[in-house]
Amino acid sequence: DAKTTQPNSMESNEEEPVHLPCNHSTISGTDYIHWYRQLPSQGPEYVIHGLTSNVNNRMASLAIAEDRKSSTLILHRATLRDAAVYYCILRAGYQGGKLIFGQGTELSVKP
Amino acid sequence: NAGVTQTPKFQVLKTGQSMTLQCAQDMNHEYMSWYRQDPGMGLRLIHYSVGAGITDQGEVPNGYNVSRSTTEDFPLRLLSAAPSQTSVYFCASSPRAGHYNEQFFGPGTRLTVL
């Protein structure tokens, strides 16, 4: 299974943009890049996913490097509610519905 | 839609007891799965189902049984609880098993085995 590498923790100030990096140098051509987050004492929550092109939705943006070996989750204006563990997950076709979680990045947001 | 619901929210068992964690979804999703999360760790897949009547093992299946008699329900059975099964259990569902689909998670069941 292709692995991802994320920083253990990051800090941000409220109302500032946050860039959460993820390295996935062994990604295969058909692997999707997914991001989930887990707020304290809650189940994981889908954030965004992409294959090759950058993606935007109401929660965040996903910037994918041209060689696809890294990606960045962008929260445009962090709020206190965005404090969570963010998981970058590669999903391969043969894995079907499986999500393989790593350690993730714990994001703290300062007022 | 209620989404994915799990009961109970909390449970304490004694070693050797059995119990069933309930999971239900009202989104007509084909794919359902169970994960466990130990302190400070990411989630690990226990069992999954790609449709009613079809189940398969995940990464850590030992000590757990599942069945899928309806599309809506996917209960997880602990046959003989052990302290090593103390964890938070999350159920998830997805429209289909594809690797491009979003998954929806329930709020979790916190289980303690004494």
Side-chain angles (χ1 to χ4, degrees):
Chain A
D1 297 331
K3 292 190 183 298
T4 62
T5 303
Q6 300 178 251
N8 287 335
S9 62
M10 291 184 64
E11 270 190 2
S12 171
N13 294 318
E14 198 176 11
E15 299 190 4
E16 289 185 356
V18 182
H19 290 232
L20 295 162
C22 181
N23 286 322
H24 30 77
S25 58
T26 59
I27 191 170
S28 297
T30 55
D31 290 351
Y32 277 81
I33 302 161
H34 284 245
W35 284 82
Y36 283 75
R37 72 179 185 181
Q38 188 173 21
L39 278 63
S41 300
Q42 294 191 27
E45 174 186 31
Y46 167 81
V47 178
I48 201 166
H49 77 278
L51 184 61
T52 56
S53 304
N54 295 343
V55 184
N56 300 300
N57 65 21
R58 63 175 180 80
M59 287 182 70
S61 295
L62 177 59
I64 301 173
E66 198 168 328
D67 63 6
R68 301 212 320 131
K69 294 186 176 182
S70 65
S71 61
T72 302
L73 179 70
I74 303 165
L75 307 179
H76 296 286
R77 285 181 75 239
T79 68
L80 297 178
R81 197 192 170 279
D82 291 321
V85 178
Y86 287 78
Y87 296 99
C88 170
I89 300 171
L90 297 186
R91 297 185 68 185
Y94 70 88
Q95 293 173 323
K98 297 175 187 176
L99 286 172
I100 299 175
F101 288 82
Q103 295 297 312
T105 296
E106 184 169 10
L107 176 68
S108 57
V109 180
K110 296 184 291 185
Chain B
N1 283 355
V4 179
T5 57
Q6 293 184 238
T7 56
K9 284 188 167 50
F10 301 93
Q11 184 70 48
V12 179
L13 292 178
K14 294 181 180 176
T15 297
Q17 287 185 315
S18 62
M19 79 158 295
T20 299
L21 308 185
Q22 301 292 344
C23 174
Q25 51 89 12
D26 61 358
M27 297 173 283
N28 201 32
H29 285 173
E30 290 183 2
Y31 183 87
M32 295 185 74
S33 56
W34 277 100
Y35 291 84
R36 62 177 285 175
Q37 185 173 33
D38 299 322
M41 296 183 65
L43 282 71
R44 292 183 292 169
L45 181 64
I46 305 172
H47 284 285
Y48 64 96
S49 168
V50 298
I54 306 169
T55 64
D56 207 344
Q57 296 181 351
E59 184 186 356
V60 287
N62 291 342
Y64 307 95
N65 267 2
V66 291
S67 60
R68 184 101 178 267
S69 55
T70 67
T71 299
E72 295 78 19
D73 300 297
F74 191 43
L76 178 73
R77 278 181 286 278
L78 279 70
L79 308 172
S80 177
S84 61
Q85 294 179 303
T86 294
S87 190
V88 182
Y89 291 83
F90 292 101
C91 179
S93 75
S94 182
R96 281 166 296 283
H99 62 307
Y100 41 80
N101 283 318
E102 171 185 353
Q103 294 211 13
F104 299 80
F105 284 81
T109 294
R110 187 175 296 273
L111 176 68
T112 302
V113 183
L114 302 176

